[in-house]
Structure formats: C-alpha cells, structure tokens
Amino acid sequence: MDWTKKYFGGSQETPQGAEAGGSGRSAPALGRSLSFGERTRLGLSQTWYSLVETLGLQKISAVLSGVYTLPTSTDPLYLLGKRYEPIRPPAEEEEVGKDGGEGRAGAVGASASSELDERTELLAADMASRAWVTYRSGFHPMGPSGLTTDAGWGCTIRSGQMLLCNCLLVHLKGREWRRGDAEADSAEVLREVVSLFFDSPQLRHYFSIHNIVKQGRSFGIVAGHWVGPYVLCQALHKIIKMTSKMVHMNVGDQCPIALYLVAEPHGGIPTLYRSRGAEIAGAAAATPSAAVLGSHEEEEGTEEGEEEGQGRAEAEGNGPWKPLLILIPVTLGVTPKINVCYVPQILATLSMPQSVGIIGGKPGKSLYIMGSVGENVLVLDPHTLKPFHGDYASEEELAESYFCKGFSTMLCRDLDPSLALGFFCRTRADYADLYDRLDALQREHPTTAMVSLAAEPTPEGQAASADLQEFTDSKVEVEGWVM
C-alpha cells in the first residue's frame, strides 16, 4: 500500500562539521577520504556504542552525559504539545495517601493513587508511540571512506529524522493515535512512514541518512563529520524542493506536507512572515506537481503571477491548504549553553499544540527535544547503536528498532544555543493560532525574542528571501539519485 496515494536538523556538534547555526563555512573538503585519525575516532565511537548496547549500559551513559530519566514532578508535562497533568501528587495529597487506612482519608488517597496510575498509563502509551531514530551499523557504504555506520557523527541527522517522522505520524494518524490501536492499516501505514528513513541511497527512502548527506553536500554536510541544525534544515528543505521536480520524471511518491524554512540568509533573528507561510501552504495544495514529497510553492521563485496570486489569496484565508511543517533554526547565545533569558520561551514553544519538537541538545551531543516538565526538557537520545533494518524487516523488528518505551530529561538551561524549532499546522486555523501564540510570546519578551514576526516581508525582506530561494534552487538536483 502506498500511504502517500491513500492519504493525499551549528549543532551542539561543531568541532569538525558545519559551523553552529551558520552556513557551513568550516566544513571540511568535500569528497575526500577520512584521515587515519578521523577513522580511528569513529572506530572508537562505534566500539563504545556497541558496548553500551550489548552490556545494557544506556542509563550509565545517559548519566555520564548529563541526561537523566524522567523525574516525578508536580508540574504538568507537555509531550509534542499535548498537556498531561502531574504524575506526582502535591505534598498534601501524598500525606493523605500515606494515611491510607480507614474512612474518608483512605478513600481520597486510593482515588488519587488510581488517578495517578491512569495518568501514567496514558503518558506511557503516548511515549511508546513516538518514533525513535538512532545510530545504525551495517548499512550501505557511504562516502569516499565507505562508512557503514554513523556512530560518533550522525546524531544531529538522527534528531532531525525523529522530528520529521513524528510529524508525519501526527499528520497521517492524528495526535491521539497510539501504537497498537486496532486499525486495519495501522501497521502498514507505520511501515510506509518509517521506510522513508531507512538507511539506503535509494530514492524512495527520501529522508535516509544517505540522501541527507548526498543532498546536503552543497551546504557542507560530509559523511563522518558533525553537522549543525541550521545546515540540516537547509538539506531537508532542498530534498523536499527537489522531489517536487520529480513529478516531471514520473518518479517518487507524494508527501502530504509542505515545508516553510524560516531562516535569514545572512544570519540574525529569523522572521516568520504570516503571508509567506500561507503562500507556501496554498501554492503547494493548489499545484498538482507540488504534491510530490514537499512544497512546490517556491519552485522557479514563483515567477508565475498565478502562483503568487494564489498565495495572496491563501494569506487572506481563501483557497486550499496543504499541511505545513515549519522549521526555525535559531542561535540563542555565544557560549556553550543557551542564554538563560531564552529558557521561558523554549518551554513555552514546547507547550504549544502545534509543536513537533526541537532539534538540539547538549554541546557535543544532539538530542530530539519533544516536550517539557517544569524547568526540564524531555528528550529522545539517538546515541544508541542499532543494526540496520531495511524493507524486509518484520513488524516486530521495526517496532524494536524505531520506538522506545520512555525518554529522558535534562535542564533546559543546559541546552546548546544552536537549535531548530519545529511546528506542524494541519489547517489554516492551526497556522493562525500558532502565529498568534508566537506573537504573544514575542510581545512578552520584546528585547530577547527568539523569533521575529511580521504580516508581510519588507522590500528588503523580500530581497533576502529571494536570495535564499535562489541559493537553494541553485543546489536542487534530481540527477544522481539511486532509483
């Protein structure tokens, strides 16, 4: 079953890869083989992660890197924008529960305990339904050095894959879908979504690490070297734009979402233009060829007045709408950790119903940030080495390899300053609501806003956007993909 036909990423890792939050100027020479020292480092990394997986040392590894298991908290918890009440009762309720015994106090304690158990079960089912993409070994050789694993260098790419995969699952199955739901096509759709991320250079695995590296070369992505969220987002944007051209070659399947990359070509605070997002979603939905794995709205720089007119109509609330993924790379400081003034804003964005997480993490360790509790963020860690699974993997193997039963936490203030915020707007109303929420957040923090907002771009903004568009279009290549 073709799910697309039925239903319609410097990082914290910057020493040798693309510069954090930048343009990849510091990327190593493309196409060269890894040096002996680089190969030794990667070999040691693979050995370490293999031992961690074999000996069951994940918890020790997490503690050593400053990532901890979920604490019991009296604060509400947010997971991909969904709110869960505290999984630990307030102190006074705990005392009542301890009294137990007879009478009303005992009954209240038992009731509270039952309610907490129910909350925990609901949260656990949600956690187990979130995609988890990790290091892999034994895949098709990649790059001049023939790498068969991304252990030690691919964690930012894996974090970006998790964000994309969870966004697609939310779109196709709904936010309330849980793995194991008794739906006839649930397992089949799940396989089709996950297969987009299989580690293979084949075209149908659009978001494989092979294709991300290949299409990201022009931005500085090199197999065996670290990459930052900003550069990763550029590569993902390029892939989605490139696949919109494949319809003319009768190859590729359709993607059910469009992508709005909110980034300034010359750095600075990114500006989300309300009209621009609406143009992208409107043009992608209105243009048949735009349906192929991404948005066609910007193809050829919207030279046709008809497309531009469609976008303006969409901005005014008319016309069709294609579900929209918004990626916003930001750099929130110049030190190894974010400026603490941004912590409340990060926590606020994670509580928004449109949130599909953040590509970020700690210095030297990329993570997929998918929620918050109190002053902590909830993370899925890609630093687990799993064997490569391809098209012939069983349902059980896929479930074991691409999902886990829990996540960890870390203090939000310990995040690396280079991040990429992710939001998913299924409808025009979702987009309007997100804009209003971000606008309110900007007004609450007028001097330290993470993201700037405007209804329409200024002439200077239009020119900058055109420069970025021309830069991306110049790197869009369909040739060279493995069929």
Side-chain angles (χ1 to χ4, degrees), residues 222-273:
V222 180
H225 291 270
W226 293 309
V227 62
Y230 176 77
V231 172
L232 175 63
C233 288
Q234 287 183 307
L236 297 177
H237 187 224
K238 176 185 174 182
I239 289 174
I240 289 180
K241 284 192 61 61
M242 184 205 63
T243 54
S244 71
K245 300 175 181 291
M246 292 181 184
V247 70
H248 305 299
M249 301 172 60
N250 297 316
V251 297
D253 296 326
Q254 295 184 351
C255 180
I257 60 176
L259 173 62
Y260 178 16
L261 176 59
V262 182
E264 300 300 320
H266 307 297
I269 299 175
T271 301
L272 188 155
Y273 296 107

Short mmCIF file of all heavy atoms in Angstrom, two decimals, residues 222-273:
data_model
loop_
_atom_site.label_atom_id
_atom_site.label_comp_id
_atom_site.label_asym_id
_atom_site.label_seq_id
_atom_site.Cartn_x
_atom_site.Cartn_y
_atom_site.Cartn_z
N VAL A 222 29.14 16.31 5.34
CA VAL A 222 30.09 15.31 4.88
C VAL A 222 29.97 14.08 5.76
O VAL A 222 29.93 14.19 6.98
CB VAL A 222 31.54 15.84 4.95
CG1 VAL A 222 32.53 14.79 4.45
CG2 VAL A 222 31.69 17.13 4.14
N ALA A 223 29.89 12.90 5.15
CA ALA A 223 29.84 11.66 5.92
C ALA A 223 31.06 11.55 6.82
O ALA A 223 32.19 11.71 6.35
CB ALA A 223 29.76 10.45 4.98
N GLY A 224 30.83 11.28 8.09
CA GLY A 224 31.92 11.15 9.04
C GLY A 224 32.20 12.40 9.83
O GLY A 224 33.03 12.39 10.74
N HIS A 225 31.48 13.51 9.52
CA HIS A 225 31.68 14.77 10.22
C HIS A 225 30.36 15.28 10.79
O HIS A 225 29.30 15.08 10.21
CB HIS A 225 32.28 15.81 9.28
CG HIS A 225 33.70 15.51 8.88
ND1 HIS A 225 34.78 15.95 9.59
CD2 HIS A 225 34.20 14.77 7.85
CE1 HIS A 225 35.89 15.52 9.02
NE2 HIS A 225 35.57 14.80 7.96
N TRP A 226 30.47 15.97 11.87
CA TRP A 226 29.29 16.51 12.54
C TRP A 226 28.65 17.63 11.72
O TRP A 226 29.28 18.27 10.90
CB TRP A 226 29.68 17.04 13.92
CG TRP A 226 30.12 15.97 14.86
CD1 TRP A 226 29.47 14.82 15.16
CD2 TRP A 226 31.33 15.95 15.63
NE1 TRP A 226 30.17 14.08 16.08
CE2 TRP A 226 31.33 14.76 16.39
CE3 TRP A 226 32.41 16.83 15.78
CZ2 TRP A 226 32.36 14.43 17.26
CZ3 TRP A 226 33.44 16.50 16.65
CH2 TRP A 226 33.40 15.30 17.38
N VAL A 227 27.37 17.88 12.00
CA VAL A 227 26.62 18.91 11.28
C VAL A 227 25.70 19.61 12.28
O VAL A 227 25.34 19.05 13.31
CB VAL A 227 25.79 18.26 10.14
CG1 VAL A 227 24.77 17.29 10.68
CG2 VAL A 227 25.11 19.33 9.29
N GLY A 228 25.36 20.83 11.99
CA GLY A 228 24.50 21.61 12.87
C GLY A 228 23.06 21.66 12.42
O GLY A 228 22.75 21.35 11.27
N PRO A 229 22.14 22.07 13.31
CA PRO A 229 20.71 22.13 12.97
C PRO A 229 20.40 23.01 11.77
O PRO A 229 19.55 22.67 10.94
CB PRO A 229 20.07 22.67 14.25
CG PRO A 229 21.00 22.28 15.34
CD PRO A 229 22.37 22.37 14.73
N TYR A 230 21.07 24.17 11.67
CA TYR A 230 20.79 25.08 10.57
C TYR A 230 21.09 24.43 9.22
O TYR A 230 20.28 24.47 8.29
CB TYR A 230 21.59 26.37 10.73
CG TYR A 230 21.44 27.35 9.60
CD1 TYR A 230 20.29 28.14 9.50
CD2 TYR A 230 22.41 27.48 8.61
CE1 TYR A 230 20.13 29.05 8.45
CE2 TYR A 230 22.26 28.38 7.57
CZ TYR A 230 21.12 29.16 7.49
OH TYR A 230 20.97 30.04 6.45
N VAL A 231 22.26 23.84 9.11
CA VAL A 231 22.67 23.20 7.86
C VAL A 231 21.77 22.00 7.56
O VAL A 231 21.40 21.76 6.41
CB VAL A 231 24.15 22.79 7.93
CG1 VAL A 231 24.53 21.95 6.73
CG2 VAL A 231 25.04 24.02 8.03
N LEU A 232 21.41 21.25 8.59
CA LEU A 232 20.50 20.11 8.39
C LEU A 232 19.17 20.57 7.84
O LEU A 232 18.61 19.96 6.92
CB LEU A 232 20.30 19.37 9.71
CG LEU A 232 19.28 18.22 9.67
CD1 LEU A 232 19.73 17.12 8.71
CD2 LEU A 232 19.06 17.64 11.07
N CYS A 233 18.63 21.67 8.38
CA CYS A 233 17.34 22.19 7.89
C CYS A 233 17.45 22.60 6.42
O CYS A 233 16.51 22.40 5.64
CB CYS A 233 16.90 23.37 8.74
SG CYS A 233 16.33 22.93 10.40
N GLN A 234 18.59 23.17 6.04
CA GLN A 234 18.79 23.52 4.63
C GLN A 234 18.74 22.28 3.75
O GLN A 234 18.15 22.29 2.66
CB GLN A 234 20.13 24.24 4.45
CG GLN A 234 20.16 25.67 4.97
CD GLN A 234 21.49 26.32 4.69
OE1 GLN A 234 22.54 25.78 5.04
NE2 GLN A 234 21.48 27.47 4.05
N ALA A 235 19.40 21.21 4.22
CA ALA A 235 19.42 19.97 3.43
C ALA A 235 18.02 19.38 3.29
O ALA A 235 17.62 18.93 2.21
CB ALA A 235 20.37 18.97 4.07
N LEU A 236 17.25 19.38 4.38
CA LEU A 236 15.89 18.85 4.34
C LEU A 236 15.02 19.69 3.41
O LEU A 236 14.19 19.16 2.65
CB LEU A 236 15.30 18.81 5.75
CG LEU A 236 16.01 17.88 6.75
CD1 LEU A 236 15.37 17.99 8.12
CD2 LEU A 236 16.02 16.44 6.26
N HIS A 237 15.21 21.00 3.47
CA HIS A 237 14.46 21.89 2.59
C HIS A 237 14.78 21.59 1.13
O HIS A 237 13.89 21.54 0.27
CB HIS A 237 14.82 23.34 2.94
CG HIS A 237 14.00 24.36 2.22
ND1 HIS A 237 14.55 25.49 1.65
CD2 HIS A 237 12.68 24.43 1.97
CE1 HIS A 237 13.60 26.21 1.08
NE2 HIS A 237 12.44 25.58 1.26
N LYS A 238 16.06 21.36 0.86
CA LYS A 238 16.47 21.05 -0.50
C LYS A 238 15.86 19.74 -0.99
O LYS A 238 15.40 19.65 -2.13
CB LYS A 238 18.00 20.96 -0.56
CG LYS A 238 18.53 20.54 -1.92
CD LYS A 238 20.04 20.37 -1.89
CE LYS A 238 20.55 19.81 -3.22
NZ LYS A 238 22.02 19.59 -3.20
N ILE A 239 15.84 18.73 -0.13
CA ILE A 239 15.28 17.43 -0.52
C ILE A 239 13.82 17.57 -0.88
O ILE A 239 13.35 17.07 -1.90
CB ILE A 239 15.46 16.41 0.61
CG1 ILE A 239 16.93 16.01 0.75
CG2 ILE A 239 14.61 15.16 0.36
CD1 ILE A 239 17.22 15.10 1.92
N ILE A 240 13.07 18.28 -0.04
CA ILE A 240 11.64 18.42 -0.29
C ILE A 240 11.39 19.24 -1.55
O ILE A 240 10.50 18.94 -2.35
CB ILE A 240 10.95 19.04 0.93
CG1 ILE A 240 10.92 18.01 2.07
CG2 ILE A 240 9.52 19.48 0.60
CD1 ILE A 240 10.26 18.49 3.35
N LYS A 241 12.18 20.29 -1.78
CA LYS A 241 12.01 21.06 -3.02
C LYS A 241 12.39 20.23 -4.23
O LYS A 241 11.74 20.29 -5.26
CB LYS A 241 12.87 22.32 -2.96
CG LYS A 241 12.31 23.40 -2.07
CD LYS A 241 13.04 24.70 -2.28
CE LYS A 241 12.91 25.19 -3.70
NZ LYS A 241 11.52 25.46 -4.11
N MET A 242 13.47 19.47 -4.10
CA MET A 242 13.94 18.66 -5.22
C MET A 242 12.91 17.64 -5.65
O MET A 242 12.69 17.41 -6.84
CB MET A 242 15.25 17.97 -4.85
CG MET A 242 15.86 17.19 -5.99
SD MET A 242 16.90 15.86 -5.39
CE MET A 242 15.69 14.88 -4.55
N THR A 243 12.27 17.02 -4.67
CA THR A 243 11.31 15.97 -5.02
C THR A 243 10.07 16.55 -5.70
O THR A 243 9.35 15.82 -6.38
CB THR A 243 10.89 15.20 -3.76
OG1 THR A 243 10.42 16.10 -2.77
CG2 THR A 243 12.05 14.41 -3.20
N SER A 244 9.83 17.84 -5.51
CA SER A 244 8.70 18.44 -6.23
C SER A 244 8.95 18.44 -7.74
O SER A 244 8.01 18.51 -8.53
CB SER A 244 8.46 19.87 -5.73
OG SER A 244 9.49 20.73 -6.15
N LYS A 245 10.21 18.36 -8.14
CA LYS A 245 10.54 18.33 -9.57
C LYS A 245 10.43 16.93 -10.15
O LYS A 245 10.43 16.75 -11.36
CB LYS A 245 11.96 18.87 -9.78
CG LYS A 245 12.16 20.31 -9.32
CD LYS A 245 13.61 20.72 -9.46
CE LYS A 245 13.83 22.15 -9.00
NZ LYS A 245 13.22 23.13 -9.88
N MET A 246 10.37 15.92 -9.27
CA MET A 246 10.39 14.54 -9.75
C MET A 246 9.12 14.14 -10.48
O MET A 246 9.11 13.18 -11.23
CB MET A 246 10.63 13.59 -8.59
CG MET A 246 12.01 13.72 -7.99
SD MET A 246 12.22 12.56 -6.65
CE MET A 246 13.85 13.03 -6.09
N VAL A 247 8.03 14.89 -10.26
CA VAL A 247 6.79 14.53 -10.94
C VAL A 247 6.97 14.56 -12.45
O VAL A 247 6.34 13.81 -13.18
CB VAL A 247 5.65 15.48 -10.49
CG1 VAL A 247 5.86 16.88 -11.02
CG2 VAL A 247 4.30 14.94 -10.94
N HIS A 248 7.86 15.42 -12.92
CA HIS A 248 8.08 15.53 -14.36
C HIS A 248 8.87 14.32 -14.89
O HIS A 248 8.94 14.11 -16.08
CB HIS A 248 8.82 16.83 -14.66
CG HIS A 248 8.14 18.04 -14.12
ND1 HIS A 248 6.87 18.41 -14.51
CD2 HIS A 248 8.53 18.95 -13.19
CE1 HIS A 248 6.51 19.51 -13.87
NE2 HIS A 248 7.50 19.85 -13.06
N MET A 249 9.47 13.57 -13.95
CA MET A 249 10.23 12.39 -14.35
C MET A 249 9.48 11.10 -14.03
O MET A 249 10.00 10.01 -14.21
CB MET A 249 11.58 12.38 -13.61
CG MET A 249 12.44 13.61 -13.88
SD MET A 249 13.89 13.65 -12.79
CE MET A 249 14.68 12.12 -13.28
N ASN A 250 8.24 11.28 -13.49
CA ASN A 250 7.42 10.13 -13.12
C ASN A 250 8.11 9.23 -12.09
O ASN A 250 8.07 8.01 -12.17
CB ASN A 250 7.05 9.29 -14.36
CG ASN A 250 6.19 10.09 -15.32
OD1 ASN A 250 5.26 10.78 -14.91
ND2 ASN A 250 6.51 9.99 -16.60
N VAL A 251 8.80 9.85 -11.15
CA VAL A 251 9.42 9.10 -10.07
C VAL A 251 9.03 9.73 -8.75
O VAL A 251 8.67 10.89 -8.68
CB VAL A 251 10.96 9.08 -10.19
CG1 VAL A 251 11.40 8.40 -11.44
CG2 VAL A 251 11.53 10.50 -10.11
N GLY A 252 9.11 8.93 -7.68
CA GLY A 252 8.84 9.46 -6.35
C GLY A 252 7.37 9.42 -6.00
O GLY A 252 6.49 9.38 -6.86
N ASP A 253 7.11 9.40 -4.71
CA ASP A 253 5.75 9.44 -4.20
C ASP A 253 5.44 10.80 -3.63
O ASP A 253 6.33 11.62 -3.41
CB ASP A 253 5.57 8.38 -3.10
CG ASP A 253 5.74 6.97 -3.63
OD1 ASP A 253 5.36 6.75 -4.79
OD2 ASP A 253 6.26 6.12 -2.89
N GLN A 254 4.19 11.04 -3.38
CA GLN A 254 3.78 12.32 -2.87
C GLN A 254 3.98 12.41 -1.36
O GLN A 254 3.82 11.44 -0.64
CB GLN A 254 2.30 12.57 -3.19
CG GLN A 254 2.02 12.68 -4.67
CD GLN A 254 0.56 13.00 -4.92
OE1 GLN A 254 -0.25 12.98 -4.02
NE2 GLN A 254 0.24 13.31 -6.15
N CYS A 255 4.34 13.59 -0.89
CA CYS A 255 4.45 13.85 0.53
C CYS A 255 3.23 14.66 0.95
O CYS A 255 2.82 15.58 0.23
CB CYS A 255 5.73 14.63 0.84
SG CYS A 255 5.94 15.00 2.59
N PRO A 256 2.64 14.36 2.07
CA PRO A 256 1.40 15.04 2.45
C PRO A 256 1.60 16.39 3.08
O PRO A 256 0.65 17.07 3.43
CB PRO A 256 0.79 14.07 3.47
CG PRO A 256 1.97 13.45 4.11
CD PRO A 256 2.99 13.29 3.00
N ILE A 257 2.84 16.84 3.27
CA ILE A 257 3.07 18.12 3.94
C ILE A 257 4.00 19.00 3.11
O ILE A 257 4.80 18.54 2.32
CB ILE A 257 3.68 17.92 5.34
CG1 ILE A 257 5.01 17.19 5.26
CG2 ILE A 257 2.70 17.18 6.25
CD1 ILE A 257 5.72 17.05 6.60
N ALA A 258 3.85 20.31 3.32
CA ALA A 258 4.75 21.30 2.73
C ALA A 258 5.70 21.77 3.83
O ALA A 258 5.49 21.49 5.01
CB ALA A 258 3.94 22.47 2.17
N LEU A 259 6.75 22.48 3.44
CA LEU A 259 7.76 22.93 4.40
C LEU A 259 8.03 24.42 4.24
O LEU A 259 8.28 24.90 3.13
CB LEU A 259 9.07 22.14 4.20
CG LEU A 259 10.27 22.61 5.03
CD1 LEU A 259 9.99 22.46 6.52
CD2 LEU A 259 11.53 21.84 4.64
N TYR A 260 8.00 25.13 5.35
CA TYR A 260 8.37 26.54 5.41
C TYR A 260 9.63 26.64 6.27
O TYR A 260 9.57 26.44 7.48
CB TYR A 260 7.22 27.35 6.00
CG TYR A 260 7.47 28.84 6.16
CD1 TYR A 260 8.52 29.50 5.51
CD2 TYR A 260 6.64 29.60 6.98
CE1 TYR A 260 8.72 30.86 5.65
CE2 TYR A 260 6.84 30.97 7.14
CZ TYR A 260 7.87 31.60 6.48
OH TYR A 260 8.09 32.95 6.64
N LEU A 261 10.77 26.93 5.64
CA LEU A 261 12.03 27.12 6.36
C LEU A 261 12.17 28.60 6.68
O LEU A 261 12.35 29.42 5.79
CB LEU A 261 13.21 26.63 5.52
CG LEU A 261 14.60 26.85 6.13
CD1 LEU A 261 14.72 26.17 7.49
CD2 LEU A 261 15.68 26.36 5.18
N VAL A 262 12.08 28.92 7.96
CA VAL A 262 12.17 30.31 8.41
C VAL A 262 13.63 30.57 8.78
O VAL A 262 14.09 30.20 9.85
CB VAL A 262 11.26 30.57 9.62
CG1 VAL A 262 11.33 32.03 10.05
CG2 VAL A 262 9.82 30.18 9.29
N ALA A 263 14.37 31.20 7.87
CA ALA A 263 15.79 31.43 8.10
C ALA A 263 16.23 32.66 7.33
O ALA A 263 15.73 32.94 6.24
CB ALA A 263 16.61 30.21 7.68
N GLU A 264 17.17 33.38 7.92
CA GLU A 264 17.74 34.54 7.27
C GLU A 264 19.03 34.13 6.57
O GLU A 264 19.90 33.50 7.18
CB GLU A 264 18.03 35.65 8.29
CG GLU A 264 16.79 36.12 9.05
CD GLU A 264 15.74 36.68 8.12
OE1 GLU A 264 16.10 37.39 7.15
OE2 GLU A 264 14.55 36.40 8.35
N PRO A 265 19.18 34.48 5.29
CA PRO A 265 20.37 34.02 4.55
C PRO A 265 21.68 34.58 5.09
O PRO A 265 22.73 33.98 4.89
CB PRO A 265 20.10 34.52 3.12
CG PRO A 265 19.14 35.66 3.29
CD PRO A 265 18.29 35.30 4.47
N HIS A 266 21.62 35.71 5.78
CA HIS A 266 22.86 36.31 6.28
C HIS A 266 22.90 36.32 7.81
O HIS A 266 23.62 37.13 8.40
CB HIS A 266 23.00 37.74 5.74
CG HIS A 266 22.88 37.83 4.25
ND1 HIS A 266 23.78 37.21 3.41
CD2 HIS A 266 21.95 38.43 3.45
CE1 HIS A 266 23.43 37.44 2.15
NE2 HIS A 266 22.33 38.17 2.15
N GLY A 267 22.15 35.44 8.43
CA GLY A 267 22.16 35.35 9.89
C GLY A 267 21.18 36.32 10.53
O GLY A 267 20.44 37.03 9.86
N GLY A 268 21.18 36.36 11.85
CA GLY A 268 20.27 37.24 12.56
C GLY A 268 19.03 36.51 13.01
O GLY A 268 18.84 35.32 12.74
N ILE A 269 18.16 37.24 13.72
CA ILE A 269 16.93 36.65 14.23
C ILE A 269 16.02 36.30 13.05
O ILE A 269 15.72 37.16 12.22
CB ILE A 269 16.21 37.63 15.17
CG1 ILE A 269 17.09 37.95 16.37
CG2 ILE A 269 14.88 37.04 15.64
CD1 ILE A 269 16.51 38.99 17.30
N PRO A 270 15.56 35.05 12.95
CA PRO A 270 14.68 34.68 11.84
C PRO A 270 13.33 35.35 11.96
O PRO A 270 12.83 35.59 13.07
CB PRO A 270 14.56 33.16 11.98
CG PRO A 270 14.83 32.90 13.42
CD PRO A 270 15.84 33.92 13.86
N THR A 271 12.74 35.68 10.84
CA THR A 271 11.43 36.34 10.81
C THR A 271 10.41 35.43 10.13
O THR A 271 10.61 35.02 8.99
CB THR A 271 11.49 37.68 10.07
OG1 THR A 271 12.43 38.55 10.72
CG2 THR A 271 10.12 38.35 10.06
N LEU A 272 9.36 35.13 10.85
CA LEU A 272 8.26 34.35 10.28
C LEU A 272 7.24 35.33 9.71
O LEU A 272 6.65 36.13 10.45
CB LEU A 272 7.62 33.47 11.36
CG LEU A 272 6.57 32.44 10.88
CD1 LEU A 272 6.49 31.27 11.87
CD2 LEU A 272 5.18 33.06 10.74
N TYR A 273 7.06 35.27 8.39
CA TYR A 273 6.09 36.14 7.72
C TYR A 273 4.78 35.38 7.57
O TYR A 273 4.73 34.32 6.95
CB TYR A 273 6.61 36.58 6.35
CG TYR A 273 7.86 37.42 6.44
CD1 TYR A 273 9.10 36.89 6.06
CD2 TYR A 273 7.82 38.73 6.90
CE1 TYR A 273 10.25 37.66 6.14
CE2 TYR A 273 8.96 39.51 6.99
CZ TYR A 273 10.18 38.97 6.61
OH TYR A 273 11.32 39.72 6.70
#
